[in-house]
């Protein structure tokens, strides 16, 4: 487990990602989602995503290193400086 929690300091940062892609990534960690009490929508959209719960988990839960890395690089590549 990671203790770095290095990304998504704000809900606004989470909203930069397409909901369906965020769900695809998070669903690979179903055990963690269950532990954190996060239920992802069948048809994700900006209006029905549990952003507050995802943010709380990213900031306060112990994330598996693989999930922490995926979210970090997703966040980093979501900016112009990240692509450079």
């Amino acid at each position: 487990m990671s203790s770095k929690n290095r990304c998504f300091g704000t809900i606004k940062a989470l909203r930069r990602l397409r909901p369906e892609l965020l769900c695809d990534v998070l669903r690979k960690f179903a055990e963690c989602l269950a532990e954190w009490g996060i239920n992802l929508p069948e048809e994700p959209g900006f209006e029905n995503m549990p952003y507050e719960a995802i943010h709380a988990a990213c900031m306060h839960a112990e994330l598996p290193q693989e999930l922490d890395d995926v979210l970090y690089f997703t966040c980093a590549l979501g900016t112009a400086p990240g692509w450079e």
Side-chain angles (χ1 to χ4, degrees):
M1 294 288 208
S2 169
S3 61
K4 294 179 186 172
N5 300 330
R6 5 178 226 192
C7 62
F8 301 124
T10 66
I11 293 172
K12 183 178 178 180
L14 279 170
R15 288 181 178 271
R16 286 192 302 235
L17 301 174
R18 290 187 10 223
E20 61 275 5
L21 292 177
L22 180 58
C23 283
D24 285 347
V25 168
L26 292 175
R27 284 190 177 109
K28 295 180 188 306
F29 300 90
E31 187 176 299
C32 292
L33 293 175
E35 180 181 322
W36 301 330
I38 297 174
N39 294 311
L40 298 175
E42 289 293 320
E43 295 184 31
F46 290 107
E47 67 286 339
N48 66 351
M49 286 293 293
Y51 288 114
E52 292 81 10
I54 295 167
H55 174 259
C58 288
M59 297 306 296
H60 302 293
E62 284 291 317
L63 299 179
Q65 186 65 50
E66 183 182 5
L67 176 57
D68 192 42
D69 289 344
V70 166
L71 293 175
Y72 173 76
F73 289 116
T74 300
C75 186
L77 290 173
T79 64
W83 279 100
E84 291 176 12

